[in-house]
Amino acid sequence: MVQRKLDPPVHTLRELYDVPRVAAMLNVTENFVRRLVAKRGIPFFKVGKFIRFDPVELGQWLDHRRVDVLR
């Protein structure tokens, strides 16, 4: 039996957003974003003492909050 050596997983690093950028993107205040973080209402990372957001996860989070139009 031939045993193949598996390559380690490759992690691609994406740019992470900070609180001011997310606040500007959502057109809300930075305090509002910080309240969402405190309530665990938005996906985020802690990098040391800094709060960072993955733009892909943020987009998914927004998509799940979409409200359909009633006709």
Side-chain angles (χ1 to χ4, degrees):
M1 177 163 88
V2 177
Q3 195 170 19
R4 294 176 52 191
K5 186 175 182 180
L6 297 176
D7 293 330
V10 177
H11 298 282
T12 57
L13 293 178
R14 293 186 281 246
E15 178 185 11
L16 297 177
Y17 295 173
D18 59 3
V19 171
R21 185 166 182 180
V22 171
M25 188 176 101
L26 298 176
N27 198 26
V28 297
T29 65
E30 290 180 28
N31 283 338
F32 182 78
V33 174
R34 292 183 193 283
R35 282 196 305 269
L36 286 174
V37 167
K39 291 194 266 182
R40 303 292 195 259
I42 190 170
F44 68 95
F45 294 99
K46 288 284 290 203
V47 181
K49 65 179 183 175
F50 301 102
I51 299 167
R52 297 292 182 255
F53 304 87
D54 181 331
V56 173
E57 288 183 6
L58 201 55
Q60 292 168 347
W61 177 79
L62 284 170
D63 286 342
H64 285 103
R65 274 136 192 86
R66 183 178 307 273
V67 177
D68 292 330
V69 177
L70 295 177
R71 294 179 190 220

